[in-house]
Amino acid sequence: MKSKFLKVILMFFIVSIPLNAQKGFQSFYDRNEFLFASPGTIKYGLNGYDNPALLTYVEKFDLMFNWSDRYSNWSDLKHWGLFVATSNFGFGVVHQKIGGNATSDYKVSTALGSRNFSFGISYGWTKGHIEEFNRTDIMSFGVLIRPLKYFSFGLVGTASTQVNAREGYIDLAVRPLGNEIITLFGDYSTRNKSTYGIKKDNWSTGAAVEILSGLTLTGRYFDSKDFTLGINLGLGNIGFSSQAHYNKESHHAYNIYGIRVGGYDRNLFSTLLPPKNYLEMNLLGEVKYQRYKFFDNSNTLYSIIQQINAAKEDKSILGIAINTSGMNANREMLWEIRERLRDFKTSGKKVIIFIDNPDLTIYHFASIADKVVMDPIGYMNLTGYVMGRTFYKNALEKIGVGIDEHRFFKYKSAAESYSREKMSEADKEQRQKLVDDSYDLARREICESRNFSFEQFDNFVNEYGAFLASGALENKLVDTLARWDAIPDIIKKVEKKDMRLVGSSEKLNLPSDNYWSEPKKIAVIYALGACAMDEGINARSLVKDVNAAANDPLVKAIVLRVDSPGGDAMASDYIAEAIKKCKKQKPVIVSQGSVAGSGGYWLSMYGDSIIAAPNTITGSIGVISLWAYNNGFKEKIGLSTDYVKRGEHADLPFGMVIPFLGLSLPDRNLTIDERSRLESYIKTMYGEFVNKVAEGRKLKTEYVDSIGQGRVWSGTDGLKNGLVDILGGLDDAIKLAKNKAGIKEDELVNIIQLPAAQLFNFNFLQPKLFGFEMKEDEFLSNLKFRLQNNGKAMPVIPLEEMDFGK
């Protein structure tokens, strides 16, 4: 402890302010008398009052009040400290009164850094009888280094801003098990001669043992031969502590007491007498991928999965009650959540789901429940699944807009809504297969959960189609009729005892002090919407996120979540090539959402593994182009155009600007030569697409072409034909990523989600008409996309009907 090496480090670290006065300030041990152990040992120490660098570990508001009976009776409060902290910021005050003299020492602290390395600074000043208590204003600089979960190293350098008084402090702590159960610590301080007129060194050593979750015992021995014994009791959002101080003769000298309130901590009562709770999940509104940082309480797919997984491991949670009223989630997301509930039930815990006006998709989701509860005035629609399109060809012809479809692959139907009056036979074929696969999935899983035969289910759909609540109960589609507010009574009947509904699992609320250092990271990167450079997936910025994750040494694997119908080949290839390069450094797992077709599959093809849900729309390896041009529209609305040019084809994109849309409609159609060139571009791009898929999936180009031709597939068929490796969801992709990265299944990882969430939704600035939001019409939105990419060879599936995630 007193080695020359440590002294050299400390003296180098101490800030020197050479002034002439010969008075000083309290030693580190005296200033921080309310510490039960070295600063880096238990939770956040004194919330930055001791070592400001500790503030990087504070996640939620935390307040500690400590007092001592050293100078008076324990209830007189002549010696107390108040320590408050939020993330990266702390404030503390220590009050001391001896006889008729009193002083209050204040300190503000702040810190920056990571859980591996952080740096903090604090400023302290004193009010009261400064001379009598030998006080000066001080500056402290703190460092906290935790390269591993087993080891913590702290440094604090303190200097007076008024006199030549300096002090250096070092603390070391070791966790043999890598968690909070056992922590061994030691610390050492040294002060220059000017502080007290003599050079002074001190040290202490000890241990903290959390014998039960929420109950920690501490012991500390000082070089003065004094020692302390302490106890810390955690009770969730509140905690209590007490420490006895003994002198070198082992006589009891005084006690320190403490109360903590703030963020949730480990709870001894939950350990000894686990409460019997049900997790309440209200899924009202849209289920999204990412929330805005502010003013957004939306449910996200990952947060729902995280809650279910945590509830499975939480001994205080006996079941989950889910309210689906007003829920808006696509079919694929609901399947993923259903799978997590299926896994949750393997722990022996129950699931209760409330429905009010379900369609087949919602009922499929709810059927996994042990008890399905339906509103007494509810209406169940089990008419099946349909997939259709609206065709604009005749309407466009009437207003004078010409459309040419440049299609050279059988199933590539992205332009049919504009070029035809009804579906092509090839499009009907592939859409019918998607509908059949979705129906078969729902029928199989509903019958398995509700103990129906396929014949019974088909009869419900084909002979009835819809049910009032009473009919649903009579046919055993649901188990009871009640409103959501009756759920506690239903749970009581199921569990034979009263249960409390809680909004979150205790496991998710626990502080991070049980794990030192930065956990290994898994990056979940979202590629959502149309493939475009500066909208949709925002490839120009998204590629930076991929590269940043690839180059971050703490990121051990990447999960690329794709929910895209395709679009611009360049945008798709930006991300695909970044993924291909990233694979050389770390595993990349692709998780396909509702749609990962055409350019969306281009994004996916280089993943180490591709995971899709059975009802994911995937594949559509193909390229198509659409050319829209003026065929009398300009003249009908009284506009005219004129131009000069140089270049044989310079006038091709020129035409009227459509009022209100601000987009150009070319004056003419393509010539025979221009059509030929466009055909060549499309076929060349298709060949490149096929070759890239063959390379990424390790398939023969001839085979890829045979399952390509623009054909969309369900995830189920994608698994059969080699476009997909595993059926599953985002949670399965994260688990596989951990496995591929060599991370143990039960090891803590930090899931980082990219791109970074936006601050807040600017849509509230949009004008409203009679109280209703004015949203852009879907047809106009899709038409704008087509005109912005007019004549461009694109790997894209139909935008009009595909339900892709947001």
Side-chain angles (χ1 to χ4, degrees):
M1 275 245 177
K2 291 188 174 184
S3 69
K4 292 183 179 180
F5 176 71
L6 290 180
K7 288 187 178 183
V8 170
I9 292 178
L10 287 172
M11 297 311 296
F12 178 78
F13 187 73
I14 295 172
V15 177
S16 177
I17 305 177
L19 298 173
N20 296 321
Q22 293 296 314
K23 68 173 184 175
F25 52 83
Q26 285 181 299
S27 71
F28 183 90
Y29 296 101
D30 289 334
R31 288 196 312 276
N32 300 288
E33 187 175 8
F34 293 119
L35 274 172
F36 281 37
S38 298
T41 303
I42 303 176
K43 210 173 180 189
Y44 321 125
L46 294 181
N47 286 340
Y49 192 89
D50 40 6
N51 183 349
L54 281 165
L55 292 170
T56 55
Y57 272 72
V58 179
E59 296 174 332
K60 298 178 181 178
F61 174 81
D62 195 81
L63 181 149
M64 299 170 57
F65 181 77
N66 298 78
W67 71 98
S68 165
D69 59 12
R70 183 174 185 178
Y71 305 112
S72 64
N73 186 279
W74 75 275
S75 61
D76 288 342
L77 294 182
K78 290 186 176 181
H79 186 203
W80 55 265
L82 178 68
F83 312 99
V84 182
T86 59
S87 181
N88 300 108
F89 180 80
F91 170 78
V93 56
V94 173
H95 178 80
Q96 190 174 2
K97 184 177 182 180
I98 302 176
N101 298 326
T103 185
S104 296
D105 298 310
Y106 300 89
K107 186 179 287 187
V108 291
S109 310
T110 188
L112 292 172
S114 69
R115 294 165 58 91
N116 280 353
F117 176 87
S118 57
F119 172 82
I121 185 171
S122 63
Y123 177 74
W125 69 97
T126 302
K127 297 292 184 181
H129 295 84
I130 297 174
E131 296 294 334
E132 289 81 353
F133 284 90
N134 194 32
R135 297 289 199 268
T136 71
D137 291 357
I138 58 175
M139 291 286 295
S140 293
F141 303 87
V143 170
L144 185 67
I145 303 172
R146 288 175 170 172
L148 302 169
K149 62 182 180 179
Y150 305 99
F151 177 75
S152 176
F153 176 75
L155 283 171
V156 180
T158 302
S160 168
T161 62
Q162 298 166 310
V163 301
N164 184 21
R166 307 182 303 277
E167 180 187 44
Y169 172 86
I170 184 172
D171 69 274
L172 302 171
V174 176
R175 287 181 166 177
L177 304 179
N179 56 34
E180 74 284 358
I181 295 176
I182 299 176
T183 308
L184 308 175
F185 65 87
D187 50 33
Y188 170 76
S189 73
T190 183
R191 285 164 283 161
N192 69 328
K193 184 176 180 180
S194 296
T195 307
Y196 287 98
I198 59 172
K199 192 173 183 301
K200 182 67 175 175
D201 298 343
N202 294 104
W203 58 267
S204 79
T205 187
V209 181
E210 189 157 348
I211 57 175
L212 291 172
S213 184
L215 178 61
T216 302
L217 302 181
T218 61
R220 191 178 188 186
Y221 179 82
F222 296 87
D223 62 326
S224 62
K225 298 185 180 180
D226 291 2
F227 65 93
T228 62
L229 297 174
I231 183 171
N232 288 268
L233 179 63
L235 298 175
N237 296 106
I238 189 170
F240 301 93
S241 58
S242 178
Q243 179 177 254
H245 195 113
Y246 297 86
N247 60 28
K248 60 184 178 181
E249 288 83 20
S250 298
H251 295 153
H252 177 258
Y254 59 91
N255 293 324
I256 291 173
Y257 310 94
I259 298 175
R260 186 202 68 84
V261 293
Y264 195 87
D265 198 358
R266 290 176 288 278
N267 191 331
L268 179 61
F269 285 173
S270 295
T271 303
L272 297 176
L273 299 169
K276 308 302 181 184
N277 299 327
Y278 258 61
L279 177 64
E280 178 182 1
M281 300 183 69
N282 190 339
L283 301 187
L284 174 67
E286 181 185 6
V287 178
K288 305 190 294 189
Y289 281 117
Q290 288 182 292
R291 295 188 187 100
Y292 294 96
K293 287 185 177 180
F294 302 106
F295 315 117
D296 189 353
N297 295 320
S298 303
N299 293 299
T300 67
L301 177 62
Y302 179 70
S303 67
I304 293 171
I305 290 171
Q306 190 180 34
Q307 283 275 19
I308 296 172
N309 289 343
K312 180 184 176 184
E313 305 300 326
D314 191 335
K315 294 181 181 179
S316 70
I317 300 292
L318 296 190
I320 297 176
I322 298 177
N323 186 352
T324 68
S325 181
M327 179 175 65
N328 176 18
N330 68 50
R331 198 176 302 164
E332 188 278 335
M333 281 187 175
L334 287 176
W335 181 84
E336 287 196 47
I337 300 168
R338 190 183 194 276
E339 284 296 290
R340 298 278 54 81
L341 292 172
R342 184 202 297 273
D343 179 68
F344 172 83
K345 289 175 61 176
T346 63
S347 64
K349 301 180 181 184
K350 305 292 186 183
V351 174
I352 296 174
I353 298 181
F354 171 80
I355 55 178
D356 49 15
N357 293 302
D359 58 8
L360 180 54
T361 297
I362 298 294
Y363 182 70
H364 175 204
F365 166 74
S367 66
I368 192 64
D370 296 281
K371 292 289 182 182
V372 179
V373 181
M374 187 172 180
D375 190 286
I377 312 299
Y379 181 82
M380 183 180 293
N381 182 350
L382 298 186
T383 53
Y385 291 130
V386 64
M387 203 175 195
R389 308 178 71 170
T390 299
F391 295 88
Y392 305 104
K393 179 178 183 292
N394 291 337
L396 292 172
E397 285 181 353
K398 287 181 179 180
I399 65 173
V401 176
I403 297 288
D404 266 9
E405 176 189 42
H406 296 271
R407 173 177 175 175
F408 305 100
F409 307 105
K410 181 178 179 181
Y411 296 98
K412 200 64 183 172
S413 61
E416 285 192 6
S417 288
Y418 302 93
S419 64
R420 303 176 66 92
E421 298 177 21
K422 61 180 182 179
M423 291 184 200
S424 66
E425 289 304 314
D427 196 34
K428 278 190 176 182
E429 176 190 347
Q430 62 182 348
R431 285 171 177 265
Q432 185 64 58
K433 187 62 169 66
L434 291 175
V435 169
D436 290 344
D437 285 352
S438 290
Y439 183 88
D440 291 343
L441 174 67
R443 180 175 64 174
R444 183 177 69 252
E445 294 188 341
I446 290 171
C447 290
E448 178 185 279
S449 297
R450 301 295 299 178
N451 198 27
F452 296 138
S453 68
F454 283 7
E455 291 74 18
Q456 283 178 292
F457 180 82
D458 289 340
N459 188 58
F460 291 150
V461 173
N462 298 322
E463 299 300 323
Y464 290 89
F467 297 86
L468 295 176
S470 57
L473 179 64
E474 181 181 345
N475 286 280
K476 299 182 179 180
L477 289 162
V478 300
D479 298 294
T480 189
L481 303 183
R483 291 267 156 82
W484 173 251
D485 56 12
I487 289 296
D489 295 329
I490 294 171
I491 294 173
K492 183 177 180 180
K493 291 180 182 179
V494 171
E495 299 291 349
K496 311 301 183 187
K497 63 182 75 172
D498 285 323
M499 293 283 162
R500 188 167 64 103
L501 286 172
V502 295
S504 181
S505 167
E506 182 181 63
K507 184 180 177 68
L508 293 181
N509 293 327
L510 291 176
S512 59
D513 66 303
N514 64 320
Y515 193 101
W516 285 346
S517 81
E518 288 281 358
K520 296 172 183 176
K521 297 178 182 178
I522 302 292
V524 176
I525 302 177
Y526 296 108
L528 311 176
C531 293
M533 294 301 292
D534 300 299
E535 57 186 356
I537 69 168
N538 286 294
R540 204 183 307 277
S541 61
L542 188 65
V543 71
K544 296 177 183 177
D545 290 320
V546 175
N547 291 335
N551 295 324
D552 186 341
L554 284 176
V555 174
K556 303 303 179 182
I558 290 174
V559 173
L560 181 69
R561 176 69 174 198
V562 177
D563 225 324
S564 171
D568 185 354
M570 180 185 292
S572 299
D573 202 55
Y574 257 54
I575 307 304
E577 288 299 315
I579 293 297
K580 184 179 180 180
K581 182 179 178 181
C582 179
K583 276 177 56 178
K584 298 175 182 178
Q585 301 171 256
K586 55 194 65 174
V588 179
I589 309 301
V590 173
S591 170
Q592 295 186 335
S594 179
V595 175
S598 206
Y601 194 82
W602 195 312
L603 294 169
S604 310
M605 61 192 177
Y606 289 134
D608 290 294
S609 297
I610 297 177
I611 298 179
N615 51 6
T616 294
I617 296 173
T618 188
S620 191
I621 301 164
V623 182
I624 195 170
S625 179
L626 175 147
W627 181 256
Y629 62 96
N630 178 61
N631 193 27
F633 178 59
K634 178 178 66 176
E635 290 75 16
K636 287 180 180 180
I637 62 174
L639 296 181
S640 61
T641 57
D642 200 0
Y643 61 86
V644 295
K645 72 171 184 175
R646 181 169 179 176
E648 186 64 28
H649 307 284
D651 63 318
L652 180 57
F654 178 78
M656 63 172 288
V657 175
I658 302 176
F660 307 113
L661 289 181
L663 297 170
S664 176
L665 182 67
D667 276 349
R668 68 175 179 84
N669 201 351
L670 278 65
T671 65
I672 294 176
D673 177 61
E674 288 164 342
R675 288 169 186 259
S676 177
R677 289 178 181 275
L678 180 56
E679 178 180 351
S680 176
Y681 298 154
I682 292 171
K683 291 181 177 178
T684 299
M685 183 179 289
Y686 175 72
E688 292 175 355
F689 195 173
V690 168
N691 288 334
K692 287 174 181 286
V693 172
E695 177 190 356
R697 301 296 299 160
K698 296 180 173 57
L699 299 169
K700 293 183 178 180
T701 55
E702 296 80 10
Y703 176 73
V704 175
D705 178 55
S706 71
I707 60 173
Q709 296 291 315
R711 175 73 185 259
V712 293
W713 304 92
S714 67
T716 300
D717 283 340
L719 179 64
K720 295 174 183 177
N721 63 29
L723 292 175
V724 170
D725 297 300
I726 302 169
L727 292 182
L730 180 61
D731 191 58
D732 300 292
I734 292 172
K735 289 177 180 176
L736 181 59
K738 287 181 66 174
N739 179 264
K740 293 276 189 181
I743 302 173
K744 295 179 182 178
E745 184 177 350
D746 59 348
E747 184 175 346
L748 176 69
V749 295
N750 185 12
I751 303 298
I752 60 170
Q753 300 181 70
L754 301 170
Q758 298 179 37
L759 292 180
F760 56 88
N761 188 355
F762 287 93
N763 287 342
F764 78 94
L765 298 174
Q766 292 181 350
K768 294 184 178 182
L769 183 63
F770 303 115
F772 295 96
E773 290 187 17
M774 298 176 63
K775 295 184 177 180
E776 187 173 48
D777 179 78
E778 184 181 21
F779 167 71
L780 290 178
S781 176
N782 293 334
L783 182 61
K784 284 173 64 175
F785 179 84
R786 297 297 182 185
L787 291 177
Q788 286 169 340
N789 296 280
N790 204 15
K792 195 171 186 177
M794 301 182 74
V796 65
I797 64 175
L799 299 174
E800 300 84 9
E801 306 294 339
M802 299 305 184
D803 180 23
F804 57 93
K806 297 179 181 179

